[in-house]
Amino acid sequence: MAHTHPPLGSSTHYGMSKAGISLLALFIGSAASAAPLDEPHLNIVPRTADEQARIETVLAPPEDFSKPQAFEQMSAGAATVRARKNADAFSQPSGNIAFEDELDFKVGNGLFRKVWVSAPSSTLASDGLGPLYNARSCQRCHIKDGRGHPPEGPDDTSISMFLRVSIPGDVPEHTAQIEDYIGTAPDPVYGTQLQDFGLAGHPAEYSLGITYEETKVALSGGETVTLRKPVYSADSLGYGPLHPDAMLSPRIAPQMIGLGLLEAIPAADILAHADPSDEDGDGISGRPNIVWSVEFQRPMLGRFGLKAGAPTVREQSAGAFAGDIGISSPLFPSPWGECTEAQADCRAAPHGDGDAREFEVDDVGLDLVTFYSRNLAVPMRRDVSDPTVLRGKEMFHTTGCVSCHTPAFVTHRLEDQPEQSFQLIWPYTDLLLHDMGEGLADNRPEARATGREWRTPPLWGIGLTELVSGHTYFLHDGRARSLLEAILWHGGEAEAHRDAVIGMGPEDRAALIRFLESL
């Protein structure tokens, strides 16, 4: 399919501030701090001066809300696909993928869906599960490549949700060069993630307990919305008590679409939006999460995970294999996954790396899963010309939602990733950390992210959540049962924007939701 978009490229975007430019200069000017601009996983072709100039016009904020912006319907540029009207809407390959690469996508899909079994097994290519795990396949958490959900009632499984855990600790020596890095350590018994399944003879680490407290929020026009505040507990602990200082953080599996395009956004363009000291006085203090890359053994810009704790799709995928399924890989080679030294029986159990394989999933398998994850396509926008949608878009902009949910970027020009190369994309995220207030705080830091900070989630595809996942649960733990509830949970830096939504007229508020549903 021919790429009908004009060639684009720039570091000038919605909401770019002088503070962001200053921060960028700081990163470039310091050898120790230059690492966040280092993108060793990408083969980048520098943009030309002409491309840099053209981008400023293309990405300028809209002034006319009576019609869509150019190319706005194509959320992922040439990689966009038509929105299917069934649960497979998030499971299509990039719209611009080459025919000869579709086989790699399908094989990667097979590995993503593969059900792993315990070792030893006659099925050598599929053994190595656990011994402690949260799911037996990637697909069982990311059902239909969509969003997970909290358990609904006592008979529902929490397979697409788990608790992360850590305790306060010292800053590791290799991360000491990262400014504001927060020291943590794994729980000495349970590690960094609680697994709620175990193979025969290996008790599960816990069962997830959730109760809800309900509060009502009054909106203008006489409307009322009920919010549910969750309280979590780690019940039925299988290996004794948690550390007394254990910090727990609930996580549901996020949707998988567009990950390769998010990875291809230039780090400099992301950093250009950062304003950690709020020098422009707009109340928004986006900060980059700088994390240690296991793969490249250096600090890098965090992009993936609910607190931007992983720098690349490949490292995020390998971490999920290890933590969620107990599968070793070249990046996380322990065949027992997350089992700690205190779980001696787990470490001594049979594992899947004792045959011809060095790891339970090797470089080839990890690369195929990475290729699949990078190329899960973003569906096309719907109803972009609808007057109500356009009014909702105007509300989204004038209310200030774009201060964090940056509408558009242009990806790097890449030598060996044509699907992600030089695309105008509309993810509605700045990929930065923001203080979301005490109501959403998990009080568990991750790298530079504090216990009140979360990465701005991409909004593309959010209107198809119910179609794909069969529910409308949002936020990091699925507490919000609608998009409006998700907005009403916004606090901290977003409190003024939340209050504006509470105070706007019912028709404008409904239009805002209608706009989000079109994404």
Side-chain angles (χ1 to χ4, degrees):
M1 182 174 73
H3 188 346
T4 57
H5 296 176
L8 303 171
S10 177
S11 60
T12 301
H13 299 297
Y14 293 82
M16 180 174 171
S17 66
K18 293 180 179 178
I21 298 173
S22 298
L23 180 69
L24 180 59
L26 173 65
F27 279 125
I28 294 173
S30 166
S33 299
L37 292 175
D38 192 1
E39 300 168 281
H41 56 301
L42 301 175
N43 292 320
I44 299 166
V45 178
R47 295 168 175 173
T48 67
D50 178 63
E51 291 165 352
Q52 293 284 8
R54 294 175 64 187
I55 197 71
E56 296 182 15
T57 301
V58 175
L59 289 187
E63 297 179 357
D64 180 3
F65 291 97
S66 67
K67 60 183 179 181
Q69 292 168 264
F71 311 112
E72 184 179 5
Q73 188 175 20
M74 304 295 286
S75 298
T80 310
V81 295
R82 292 190 179 276
R84 292 199 174 191
K85 297 182 179 181
N86 57 36
D88 292 326
F90 286 175
S91 299
Q92 308 310 307
S94 298
N96 55 352
I97 195 171
F99 176 78
E100 57 269 23
D101 291 329
E102 289 188 19
L103 179 59
D104 283 348
F105 180 86
K106 292 175 180 177
V107 175
N109 183 20
L111 290 170
F112 195 82
R113 297 165 62 93
K114 177 197 280 194
V115 177
W116 294 83
V117 299
S118 59
S121 168
S122 59
T123 311
L124 296 180
S126 299
D127 70 359
L129 175 68
L132 301 174
Y133 59 97
N134 294 108
R136 294 182 62 189
S137 73
C138 306
Q139 183 75 208
R140 288 198 176 184
C141 282
H142 302 276
I143 301 168
K144 289 291 184 178
D145 305 296
R147 190 183 305 270
H149 63 88
E152 299 178 295
D155 297 326
D156 191 13
T157 174
S158 61
I159 196 168
S160 59
M161 184 176 190
F162 62 81
L163 294 176
R164 290 209 184 278
V165 59
S166 58
I167 64 174
D170 297 328
V171 175
E173 183 177 351
H174 62 274
T175 61
Q177 63 182 296
I178 302 176
E179 185 178 0
D180 297 328
Y181 197 94
I182 304 171
T184 60
D187 182 278
V189 174
Y190 290 94
T192 61
Q193 181 171 322
L194 293 175
Q195 284 84 25
D196 48 358
F197 292 99
L199 299 177
H202 299 275
E205 290 188 322
Y206 85 121
S207 62
L208 178 63
I210 311 178
T211 58
Y212 292 100
E213 302 170 357
E214 294 192 343
T215 59
K216 292 185 181 298
V217 178
L219 310 179
S220 68
E223 298 180 37
T224 302
V225 175
T226 301
L227 302 183
R228 57 176 190 172
K229 178 182 178 181
V231 178
Y232 298 98
S233 60
D235 300 334
S236 305
L237 291 166
Y239 298 86
L242 288 161
H243 189 280
D245 296 326
M247 300 173 287
L248 301 177
S249 180
R251 306 291 174 89
I252 62 168
Q255 64 186 30
M256 295 287 294
I257 57 174
L259 299 184
L261 294 164
L262 296 177
E263 185 178 50
I265 297 172
D269 292 0
I270 296 171
L271 292 173
H273 290 270
D275 185 10
S277 301
D278 190 22
E279 293 186 17
D280 61 6
D282 67 352
I284 303 300
S285 305
R287 301 192 312 127
N289 201 359
I290 309 302
V291 302
W292 182 259
S293 170
V294 173
E295 181 174 11
F296 296 103
Q297 292 294 294
R298 69 186 75 182
M300 290 179 63
L301 176 66
R303 300 172 187 246
F304 303 105
L306 293 165
K307 286 181 179 278
T312 67
V313 175
R314 192 170 191 265
E315 191 159 327
Q316 174 78 4
S317 300
F321 267 122
D324 300 353
I325 314 178
I327 298 298
S328 64
S329 70
L331 299 189
F332 298 95
S334 300
W336 48 75
E338 260 264 301
C339 296
T340 65
E341 292 182 2
Q343 296 167 324
D345 290 345
C346 178
R347 290 198 169 198
H351 302 293
D353 62 349
D355 47 51
R357 297 173 294 164
E358 183 179 0
F359 306 105
E360 291 161 340
V361 60
D362 59 12
D363 264 319
V364 173
L366 185 57
D367 286 345
L368 286 166
V369 171
T370 301
F371 183 81
Y372 172 75
S373 300
R374 279 177 175 159
N375 282 287
L376 280 166
V378 180
M380 187 180 295
R381 283 273 311 278
R382 285 86 51 216
D383 304 321
V384 294
S385 299
D386 182 274
T388 303
V389 170
L390 289 169
R391 177 60 176 168
K393 176 184 173 183
E394 185 175 5
M395 293 296 97
F396 191 82
H397 279 258
T398 58
T399 302
C401 302
V402 293
S403 297
C404 299
H405 291 283
T406 304
F409 285 96
V410 173
T411 61
H412 276 303
R413 189 183 292 281
L414 300 171
E415 285 188 346
D416 54 357
Q417 291 178 225
E419 303 87 2
Q420 289 83 45
S421 180
F422 215 43
Q423 301 299 324
L424 168 62
I425 63 173
W426 303 78
Y428 287 88
T429 175
D430 59 8
L431 294 178
L432 297 173
L433 301 171
H434 294 275
D435 182 338
M436 295 301 293
E438 191 58 35
L440 288 179
D442 66 350
N443 299 309
R444 177 185 177 273
E446 186 172 338
R448 298 178 78 231
T450 70
R452 290 168 55 104
E453 289 181 316
W454 299 93
R455 181 203 67 165
T456 305
L459 296 182
W460 52 12
I462 199 167
L464 296 173
T465 298
E466 186 171 14
L467 177 67
V468 172
S469 302
H471 64 77
T472 55
Y473 297 139
F474 301 106
L475 301 179
H476 65 280
D477 56 1
R479 70 178 67 187
R481 293 161 294 188
S482 68
L483 291 170
L484 181 55
E485 283 189 32
I487 293 170
L488 296 178
W489 272 108
H490 282 50
E493 297 176 37
E495 183 174 352
H497 309 85
R498 177 202 65 195
D499 291 346
V501 173
I502 291 174
M504 69 176 51
E507 289 188 4
D508 285 342
R509 192 162 51 240
L512 173 63
I513 299 302
R514 185 71 185 85
F515 164 70
L516 294 174
E517 291 172 343
S518 78
L519 296 180

